[in-house]
Amino acid sequence: MKPGATAADINAALAAGKNLLVTPAVYHLSQTLQVNRSILGVSPGGNLYC
């Protein structure tokens, strides 16, 4: 997604099967992101978790 993408834009991309990588930042979104499949995370220490 490009800067300025709305939560609706991101949700549409997720619904279309696109992947989402969230980097550390403050995100101001007008609605909740709908993530409906397993995700993989990385802790601040670099450890992977599911």
Side-chain angles (χ1 to χ4, degrees):
M1 304 298 325
K2 294 184 179 185
T6 65
D9 296 332
I10 298 169
N11 281 330
L14 289 168
K18 300 291 184 180
N19 296 315
L20 175 66
L21 175 64
V22 180
T23 58
V26 175
Y27 297 92
H28 300 280
L29 301 173
S30 60
Q31 65 188 61
T32 303
L33 296 180
Q34 300 298 316
V35 179
N36 298 316
R37 55 192 159 121
S38 297
I39 58 172
L40 175 68
V42 180
S43 70
N47 298 316
L48 296 177
Y49 62 90
C50 294

